[in-house]
Structures are given as structure tokens and as C-alpha cells.
């Protein structure tokens, strides 16, 4: 932990004519400061990721076929349920009037019954995830 008294000690060492000791202590403090800044940046990005996940959990809805993101009064989407369930990513579906297709995984959703039919991609046997997995250690 950085503190005021360690910096004051550097100042006093310079005043006492001990520049080598002051420089050594100052280098140590700089090194610790850099470590704290790096840790702070990591923590900020983790907080941002948690905020994003919280936002999605509050505003992402599944209608049985697609995911929709509600932002204010706007309903954005539809998003590919296969991509979100497998990878936790939101890919907007392309609508050609007859079907909705995901350009990421190739899944095609028929508009009539809105049942997903995988084309060119085999369905994964992996269990569906309901939330984004956050690694605890990087
Ligand atoms: Zn997809």
C-alpha cells in the first residue's frame, strides 16, 4: 500500500544528502505504484464485465425462439439463440423475408414456426448455458 509517509521519507533522504538511498526508495515506490495501477485496470475491466452481465440479465429476454435485448422502449433483435447459448454472444439475425439466418453459426430460423433448424452446423451436445461464464483467474 502506498502512503504519504514513504514519499515524505524520500524527500527527507534527499534533504539529508542521501541521494542513493532516496533514489532506491523512490524506485521501490514507483514499482509499487505501477503494480497498483495495473491491478486497478484489471479490476476496472472486471467491474465493467460484471456490469455488462448484470445489464444483460435484466434486459435480455427469450421468447422461445430468439433473444431480444430491451433498451428503454426499444426491442432490439432478434438475436441467435444458438450463438448465445453456446458462446454467450449476441448475433443479430439476418431476415430475408422468408427466414432468419445467423451469419455467425449458419443456423436458419423459419419464420412460420420459428423453430431453429441448423444448416451447415451440427447442434452441440453440450448443455446450454444460461449465463456468461467468467474465469476467476486469468
Ligand atoms: Zn448463431
Amino acid at each position: 500500500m502506498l502512503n504519504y509517509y514513504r514519499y515524505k521519507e524520500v524527500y527527507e533522504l534527499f534533504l539529508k544528502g542521501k541521494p542513493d538511498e532516496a533514489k532506491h526508495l523512490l524506485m521501490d515506490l514507483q514499482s509499487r505504484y505501477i503494480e497498483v495501477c495495473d491491478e486497478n485496470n484489471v479490476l476496472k475491466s472486471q467491474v465493467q464485465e460484471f456490469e455488462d452481465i448484470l445489464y444483460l440479465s435484466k434486459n435480455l429476454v427469450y421468447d422461445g425462439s430468439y433473444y431480444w435485448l430491451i433498451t428503454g422502449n426499444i426491442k432490439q433483435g432478434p438475436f441467435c439463440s444458438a450463438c448465445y447459448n453456446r458462446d454467450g454472444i449476441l448475433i443479430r439475425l439476418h431476415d430475408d423475408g422468408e427466414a432468419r439466418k445467423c451469419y455467425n453459426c449458419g443456423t436458419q430460423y423459419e419464420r412460420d414456426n420459428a423453430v431453429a433448424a441448423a444448416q451447415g452446423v451440427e447442434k452441440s451436445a453440450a448443455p446450454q448455458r444460461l449465463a456468461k461464464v467468467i474465469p476467476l483467474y486469468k
Side-chain angles (χ1 to χ4, degrees):
M1 187 71 185
L2 301 176
N3 63 45
Y4 165 79
Y5 296 104
R6 299 286 287 167
Y7 281 101
K8 189 172 181 180
E9 188 178 336
V10 170
Y11 177 73
E12 289 171 354
L13 285 170
F14 275 118
L15 288 180
K16 291 178 183 175
K18 299 178 179 178
D20 291 339
E21 291 180 43
K23 287 178 188 175
H24 182 73
L25 182 56
L26 190 55
M27 287 172 53
D28 184 48
L29 288 169
Q30 285 176 329
S31 175
R32 290 181 189 193
Y33 176 76
I34 291 169
E35 288 176 16
V36 168
C37 286
D38 290 346
E39 182 181 4
N40 191 37
N41 287 334
V42 169
L43 292 173
K44 280 182 179 178
S45 64
Q46 286 179 339
V47 167
Q48 182 62 52
E49 191 168 358
F50 288 133
E51 286 177 350
D52 292 346
I53 291 169
L54 182 61
Y55 180 81
L56 280 180
S57 71
K58 288 181 177 177
N59 298 295
L60 191 67
V61 294
Y62 183 67
D63 68 0
S65 299
Y66 317 110
Y67 282 100
W68 299 86
L69 186 61
I70 309 299
T71 55
N73 294 330
I74 300 171
K75 184 178 180 182
Q76 297 185 51
F79 298 100
C80 178
S81 59
C83 284
Y84 184 75
N85 291 337
R86 185 184 57 242
D87 302 324
I89 56 175
L90 291 175
I91 304 294
R92 188 183 296 272
L93 297 172
H94 174 74
D95 192 339
D96 66 2
E98 295 179 11
R100 291 174 170 162
K101 184 175 182 179
C102 175
Y103 285 142
N104 186 53
C105 69
T107 300
Q108 188 163 324
Y109 300 83
E110 300 301 327
R111 292 196 62 138
D112 294 343
N113 53 12
V115 174
Q119 291 184 347
V121 176
E122 291 186 24
K123 291 197 173 195
S124 172
Q128 293 186 347
R129 289 189 348 221
L130 298 178
K132 185 173 183 177
V133 175
I134 303 167
L136 295 175
Y137 302 99
K138 292 185 179 180

Tab-separated table of all heavy atoms in Angstrom, residues 66 79-84 86-87 89-96 99-110 115-124:
chain	number	residue	atom	x	y	z
A	66	TYR	N	-36.067	-16.740	-30.077
A	66	TYR	CA	-34.983	-15.769	-30.222
A	66	TYR	C	-34.753	-15.027	-28.918
A	66	TYR	O	-35.623	-14.976	-28.058
A	66	TYR	CB	-35.317	-14.713	-31.281
A	66	TYR	CG	-35.942	-15.226	-32.536
A	66	TYR	CD1	-37.269	-14.948	-32.827
A	66	TYR	CD2	-35.202	-15.968	-33.446
A	66	TYR	CE1	-37.851	-15.401	-33.989
A	66	TYR	CE2	-35.789	-16.427	-34.617
A	66	TYR	CZ	-37.110	-16.147	-34.884
A	66	TYR	OH	-37.673	-16.598	-36.029
A	79	PHE	N	-31.861	-11.983	-31.843
A	79	PHE	CA	-30.508	-12.496	-31.795
A	79	PHE	C	-30.528	-14.021	-31.799
A	79	PHE	O	-31.475	-14.643	-31.307
A	79	PHE	CB	-29.789	-11.997	-30.541
A	79	PHE	CG	-29.651	-10.503	-30.498
A	79	PHE	CD1	-30.512	-9.729	-29.739
A	79	PHE	CD2	-28.669	-9.860	-31.234
A	79	PHE	CE1	-30.395	-8.346	-29.699
A	79	PHE	CE2	-28.539	-8.480	-31.211
A	79	PHE	CZ	-29.407	-7.722	-30.443
A	80	CYS	N	-29.477	-14.585	-32.342
A	80	CYS	CA	-29.365	-16.043	-32.498
A	80	CYS	C	-29.284	-16.718	-31.131
A	80	CYS	O	-28.368	-16.452	-30.354
A	80	CYS	CB	-28.122	-16.364	-33.331
A	80	CYS	SG	-27.858	-18.130	-33.542
A	81	SER	N	-30.232	-17.605	-30.877
A	81	SER	CA	-30.238	-18.311	-29.594
A	81	SER	C	-29.125	-19.358	-29.530
A	81	SER	O	-28.572	-19.615	-28.460
A	81	SER	CB	-31.599	-18.943	-29.337
A	81	SER	OG	-31.914	-19.854	-30.372
A	82	ALA	N	-28.772	-19.940	-30.678
A	82	ALA	CA	-27.701	-20.952	-30.686
A	82	ALA	C	-26.365	-20.323	-30.288
A	82	ALA	O	-25.624	-20.874	-29.465
A	82	ALA	CB	-27.598	-21.600	-32.064
A	83	CYS	N	-26.057	-19.165	-30.859
A	83	CYS	CA	-24.792	-18.494	-30.540
A	83	CYS	C	-24.761	-18.031	-29.088
A	83	CYS	O	-23.744	-18.160	-28.407
A	83	CYS	CB	-24.563	-17.296	-31.464
A	83	CYS	SG	-24.038	-17.745	-33.117
A	84	TYR	N	-25.889	-17.490	-28.606
A	84	TYR	CA	-25.896	-17.006	-27.232
A	84	TYR	C	-25.795	-18.160	-26.243
A	84	TYR	O	-25.037	-18.096	-25.279
A	84	TYR	CB	-27.144	-16.173	-26.932
A	84	TYR	CG	-27.100	-15.591	-25.549
A	84	TYR	CD1	-26.265	-14.516	-25.272
A	84	TYR	CD2	-27.834	-16.140	-24.514
A	84	TYR	CE1	-26.168	-13.995	-23.999
A	84	TYR	CE2	-27.749	-15.621	-23.234
A	84	TYR	CZ	-26.918	-14.551	-22.981
A	84	TYR	OH	-26.821	-14.047	-21.718
A	86	ARG	N	-24.453	-21.084	-26.718
A	86	ARG	CA	-23.168	-21.770	-26.809
A	86	ARG	C	-22.003	-20.882	-26.373
A	86	ARG	O	-21.151	-21.306	-25.601
A	86	ARG	CB	-22.943	-22.266	-28.233
A	86	ARG	CG	-21.679	-23.108	-28.388
A	86	ARG	CD	-21.409	-23.517	-29.820
A	86	ARG	NE	-21.312	-22.352	-30.686
A	86	ARG	CZ	-22.141	-22.098	-31.715
A	86	ARG	NH1	-23.070	-22.955	-32.033
A	86	ARG	NH2	-22.003	-21.014	-32.433
A	87	ASP	N	-21.984	-19.622	-26.881
A	87	ASP	CA	-20.807	-18.773	-26.684
A	87	ASP	C	-21.071	-17.523	-25.846
A	87	ASP	O	-20.136	-16.785	-25.543
A	87	ASP	CB	-20.250	-18.336	-28.044
A	87	ASP	CG	-19.891	-19.523	-28.917
A	87	ASP	OD1	-19.424	-20.543	-28.367
A	87	ASP	OD2	-20.092	-19.436	-30.140
A	89	ILE	N	-22.650	-14.878	-26.890
A	89	ILE	CA	-22.552	-13.691	-27.737
A	89	ILE	C	-23.894	-13.416	-28.395
A	89	ILE	O	-24.672	-14.338	-28.642
A	89	ILE	CB	-21.457	-13.841	-28.821
A	89	ILE	CG1	-21.704	-15.085	-29.678
A	89	ILE	CG2	-20.087	-13.895	-28.177
A	89	ILE	CD1	-20.738	-15.236	-30.838
A	90	LEU	N	-24.149	-12.146	-28.651
A	90	LEU	CA	-25.390	-11.746	-29.300
A	90	LEU	C	-25.105	-11.454	-30.766
A	90	LEU	O	-24.398	-10.506	-31.087
A	90	LEU	CB	-25.972	-10.503	-28.626
A	90	LEU	CG	-26.516	-10.713	-27.216
A	90	LEU	CD1	-26.960	-9.389	-26.619
A	90	LEU	CD2	-27.658	-11.715	-27.209
A	91	ILE	N	-25.658	-12.286	-31.643
A	91	ILE	CA	-25.516	-12.101	-33.089
A	91	ILE	C	-26.905	-11.819	-33.648
A	91	ILE	O	-27.810	-12.646	-33.531
A	91	ILE	CB	-24.924	-13.367	-33.756
A	91	ILE	CG1	-23.586	-13.750	-33.118
A	91	ILE	CG2	-24.808	-13.157	-35.265
A	91	ILE	CD1	-22.475	-12.749	-33.337
A	92	ARG	N	-27.043	-10.633	-34.241
A	92	ARG	CA	-28.344	-10.267	-34.813
A	92	ARG	C	-28.601	-11.133	-36.043
A	92	ARG	O	-27.736	-11.351	-36.873
A	92	ARG	CB	-28.363	-8.799	-35.203
A	92	ARG	CG	-29.750	-8.309	-35.613
A	92	ARG	CD	-29.700	-6.859	-36.056
A	92	ARG	NE	-29.312	-5.966	-34.986
A	92	ARG	CZ	-30.161	-5.402	-34.127
A	92	ARG	NH1	-31.445	-5.649	-34.235
A	92	ARG	NH2	-29.733	-4.617	-33.182
A	93	LEU	N	-29.834	-11.636	-36.153
A	93	LEU	CA	-30.213	-12.494	-37.269
A	93	LEU	C	-30.534	-11.656	-38.496
A	93	LEU	O	-31.140	-10.592	-38.393
A	93	LEU	CB	-31.423	-13.349	-36.885
A	93	LEU	CG	-31.176	-14.332	-35.737
A	93	LEU	CD1	-32.485	-14.979	-35.318
A	93	LEU	CD2	-30.157	-15.376	-36.134
A	94	HIS	N	-30.136	-12.157	-39.648
A	94	HIS	CA	-30.455	-11.509	-40.916
A	94	HIS	C	-31.804	-12.044	-41.401
A	94	HIS	O	-32.026	-13.251	-41.419
A	94	HIS	CB	-29.371	-11.802	-41.956
A	94	HIS	CG	-29.712	-11.273	-43.313
A	94	HIS	ND1	-29.648	-9.929	-43.605
A	94	HIS	CD2	-30.150	-11.891	-44.426
A	94	HIS	CE1	-30.019	-9.758	-44.858
A	94	HIS	NE2	-30.330	-10.920	-45.383
A	95	ASP	N	-32.687	-11.139	-41.774
A	95	ASP	CA	-34.028	-11.515	-42.198
A	95	ASP	C	-34.171	-11.274	-43.697
A	95	ASP	O	-34.069	-10.136	-44.157
A	95	ASP	CB	-35.055	-10.678	-41.428
A	95	ASP	CG	-36.468	-11.215	-41.600
A	95	ASP	OD1	-36.732	-11.946	-42.579
A	95	ASP	OD2	-37.310	-10.892	-40.745
A	96	ASP	N	-34.390	-12.358	-44.465
A	96	ASP	CA	-34.554	-12.191	-45.919
A	96	ASP	C	-36.030	-12.232	-46.323
A	96	ASP	O	-36.351	-12.347	-47.492
A	96	ASP	CB	-33.748	-13.243	-46.683
A	96	ASP	CG	-34.268	-14.656	-46.467
A	96	ASP	OD1	-35.279	-14.834	-45.744
A	96	ASP	OD2	-33.659	-15.592	-47.007
A	99	ALA	N	-36.939	-16.337	-44.013
A	99	ALA	CA	-36.295	-16.980	-42.874
A	99	ALA	C	-35.321	-16.002	-42.247
A	99	ALA	O	-34.947	-14.994	-42.846
A	99	ALA	CB	-35.562	-18.238	-43.319
A	100	ARG	N	-34.937	-16.330	-41.049
A	100	ARG	CA	-33.932	-15.535	-40.355
A	100	ARG	C	-32.691	-16.409	-40.225
A	100	ARG	O	-32.783	-17.551	-39.786
A	100	ARG	CB	-34.436	-15.108	-38.979
A	100	ARG	CG	-35.549	-14.093	-39.090
A	100	ARG	CD	-36.138	-13.779	-37.746
A	100	ARG	NE	-37.033	-12.620	-37.867
A	100	ARG	CZ	-37.943	-12.305	-36.979
A	100	ARG	NH1	-38.094	-13.036	-35.902
A	100	ARG	NH2	-38.703	-11.252	-37.158
A	101	LYS	N	-31.534	-15.839	-40.598
A	101	LYS	CA	-30.314	-16.632	-40.625
A	101	LYS	C	-29.227	-15.951	-39.818
A	101	LYS	O	-29.091	-14.736	-39.846
A	101	LYS	CB	-29.838	-16.824	-42.064
A	101	LYS	CG	-28.629	-17.721	-42.171
A	101	LYS	CD	-28.272	-17.991	-43.613
A	101	LYS	CE	-27.076	-18.945	-43.663
A	101	LYS	NZ	-26.684	-19.266	-45.015
A	102	CYS	N	-28.447	-16.791	-39.129
A	102	CYS	CA	-27.301	-16.300	-38.376
A	102	CYS	C	-26.067	-16.446	-39.253
A	102	CYS	O	-25.734	-17.552	-39.681
A	102	CYS	CB	-27.122	-17.099	-37.075
A	102	CYS	SG	-25.641	-16.625	-36.175
A	103	TYR	N	-25.396	-15.321	-39.522
A	103	TYR	CA	-24.183	-15.372	-40.341
A	103	TYR	C	-22.987	-15.883	-39.560
A	103	TYR	O	-21.961	-16.208	-40.128
A	103	TYR	CB	-23.870	-13.994	-40.915
A	103	TYR	CG	-24.781	-13.596	-42.054
A	103	TYR	CD1	-25.220	-12.294	-42.188
A	103	TYR	CD2	-25.196	-14.529	-42.998
A	103	TYR	CE1	-26.055	-11.923	-43.233
A	103	TYR	CE2	-26.036	-14.173	-44.038
A	103	TYR	CZ	-26.457	-12.874	-44.159
A	103	TYR	OH	-27.283	-12.526	-45.190
A	104	ASN	N	-23.119	-15.964	-38.248
A	104	ASN	CA	-22.008	-16.464	-37.435
A	104	ASN	C	-21.958	-17.988	-37.415
A	104	ASN	O	-20.918	-18.576	-37.671
A	104	ASN	CB	-22.118	-15.920	-36.009
A	104	ASN	CG	-20.931	-16.290	-35.156
A	104	ASN	OD1	-19.786	-16.039	-35.539
A	104	ASN	ND2	-21.187	-16.892	-34.019
A	105	CYS	N	-23.099	-18.629	-37.132
A	105	CYS	CA	-23.091	-20.086	-36.988
A	105	CYS	C	-23.852	-20.790	-38.116
A	105	CYS	O	-23.773	-22.007	-38.244
A	105	CYS	CB	-23.684	-20.494	-35.638
A	105	CYS	SG	-25.449	-20.205	-35.489
A	106	GLY	N	-24.593	-20.044	-38.922
A	106	GLY	CA	-25.301	-20.644	-40.037
A	106	GLY	C	-26.677	-21.165	-39.692
A	106	GLY	O	-27.379	-21.680	-40.566
A	107	THR	N	-27.090	-21.047	-38.458
A	107	THR	CA	-28.424	-21.520	-38.075
A	107	THR	C	-29.494	-20.694	-38.789
A	107	THR	O	-29.400	-19.479	-38.861
A	107	THR	CB	-28.619	-21.421	-36.556
A	107	THR	OG1	-27.639	-22.221	-35.915
A	107	THR	CG2	-30.008	-21.912	-36.150
A	108	GLN	N	-30.479	-21.408	-39.320
A	108	GLN	CA	-31.573	-20.732	-40.010
A	108	GLN	C	-32.862	-20.974	-39.248
A	108	GLN	O	-33.169	-22.108	-38.861
A	108	GLN	CB	-31.699	-21.249	-41.444
A	108	GLN	CG	-32.687	-20.447	-42.257
A	108	GLN	CD	-32.523	-20.671	-43.741
A	108	GLN	OE1	-31.405	-20.830	-44.209
A	108	GLN	NE2	-33.621	-20.691	-44.453
A	109	TYR	N	-33.607	-19.920	-39.018
A	109	TYR	CA	-34.857	-19.996	-38.282
A	109	TYR	C	-35.983	-19.725	-39.256
A	109	TYR	O	-36.020	-18.667	-39.880
A	109	TYR	CB	-34.890	-18.948	-37.166
A	109	TYR	CG	-33.778	-19.081	-36.149
A	109	TYR	CD1	-32.528	-18.536	-36.391
A	109	TYR	CD2	-33.991	-19.751	-34.957
A	109	TYR	CE1	-31.508	-18.658	-35.459
A	109	TYR	CE2	-32.985	-19.878	-34.018
A	109	TYR	CZ	-31.742	-19.324	-34.279
A	109	TYR	OH	-30.746	-19.446	-33.369
A	110	GLU	N	-36.887	-20.669	-39.387
A	110	GLU	CA	-38.044	-20.461	-40.261
A	110	GLU	C	-38.982	-19.474	-39.586
A	110	GLU	O	-39.211	-19.540	-38.387
A	110	GLU	CB	-38.762	-21.797	-40.501
A	110	GLU	CG	-37.894	-22.842	-41.162
A	110	GLU	CD	-37.354	-22.421	-42.520
A	110	GLU	OE1	-38.070	-21.667	-43.234
A	110	GLU	OE2	-36.220	-22.794	-42.857
A	115	VAL	N	-38.961	-22.261	-35.476
A	115	VAL	CA	-38.186	-23.353	-34.895
A	115	VAL	C	-36.801	-23.340	-35.531
A	115	VAL	O	-36.670	-23.266	-36.752
A	115	VAL	CB	-38.880	-24.711	-35.140
A	115	VAL	CG1	-38.007	-25.868	-34.669
A	115	VAL	CG2	-40.220	-24.742	-34.449
A	116	ALA	N	-35.812	-23.414	-34.731
A	116	ALA	CA	-34.441	-23.375	-35.242
A	116	ALA	C	-34.121	-24.664	-35.965
A	116	ALA	O	-34.410	-25.752	-35.498
A	116	ALA	CB	-33.463	-23.180	-34.087
A	117	ALA	N	-33.563	-24.517	-37.145
A	117	ALA	CA	-33.107	-25.673	-37.905
A	117	ALA	C	-31.669	-25.420	-38.300
A	117	ALA	O	-31.378	-24.513	-39.060
A	117	ALA	CB	-33.978	-25.871	-39.142
A	118	ALA	N	-30.799	-26.169	-37.762
A	118	ALA	CA	-29.385	-25.972	-38.041
A	118	ALA	C	-29.079	-26.390	-39.464
A	118	ALA	O	-29.493	-27.448	-39.910
A	118	ALA	CB	-28.550	-26.792	-37.073
A	119	GLN	N	-28.403	-25.512	-40.168
A	119	GLN	CA	-27.991	-25.821	-41.526
A	119	GLN	C	-26.501	-25.569	-41.626
A	119	GLN	O	-26.047	-24.464	-41.433
A	119	GLN	CB	-28.725	-24.960	-42.535
A	119	GLN	CG	-30.186	-25.312	-42.621
A	119	GLN	CD	-30.883	-24.514	-43.711
A	119	GLN	OE1	-30.339	-23.553	-44.223
A	119	GLN	NE2	-32.063	-24.954	-44.052
A	120	GLY	N	-25.768	-26.619	-41.935
A	120	GLY	CA	-24.323	-26.488	-42.057
A	120	GLY	C	-23.612	-26.554	-40.718
A	120	GLY	O	-22.408	-26.551	-40.668
A	121	VAL	N	-24.334	-26.575	-39.654
A	121	VAL	CA	-23.736	-26.659	-38.327
A	121	VAL	C	-24.492	-27.722	-37.543
A	121	VAL	O	-25.708	-27.694	-37.470
A	121	VAL	CB	-23.831	-25.312	-37.581
A	121	VAL	CG1	-23.304	-25.455	-36.170
A	121	VAL	CG2	-23.100	-24.246	-38.357
A	122	GLU	N	-23.747	-28.666	-36.996
A	122	GLU	CA	-24.395	-29.669	-36.176
A	122	GLU	C	-24.692	-29.066	-34.817
A	122	GLU	O	-23.916	-28.298	-34.278
A	122	GLU	CB	-23.485	-30.891	-36.024
A	122	GLU	CG	-23.326	-31.648	-37.329
A	122	GLU	CD	-22.552	-32.935	-37.122
A	122	GLU	OE1	-22.545	-33.454	-35.997
A	122	GLU	OE2	-21.963	-33.396	-38.095
A	123	LYS	N	-25.804	-29.459	-34.268
A	123	LYS	CA	-26.151	-28.951	-32.949
A	123	LYS	C	-25.208	-29.548	-31.913
A	123	LYS	O	-24.879	-30.718	-31.958
A	123	LYS	CB	-27.600	-29.299	-32.616
A	123	LYS	CG	-28.569	-28.519	-33.477
A	123	LYS	CD	-29.939	-28.550	-32.894
A	123	LYS	CE	-30.817	-27.614	-33.707
A	123	LYS	NZ	-32.028	-27.298	-33.044
A	124	SER	N	-24.821	-28.728	-31.002
A	124	SER	CA	-23.895	-29.144	-29.967
A	124	SER	C	-24.617	-29.993	-28.923
A	124	SER	O	-25.758	-29.721	-28.572
A	124	SER	CB	-23.285	-27.911	-29.304
A	124	SER	OG	-22.541	-28.288	-28.186
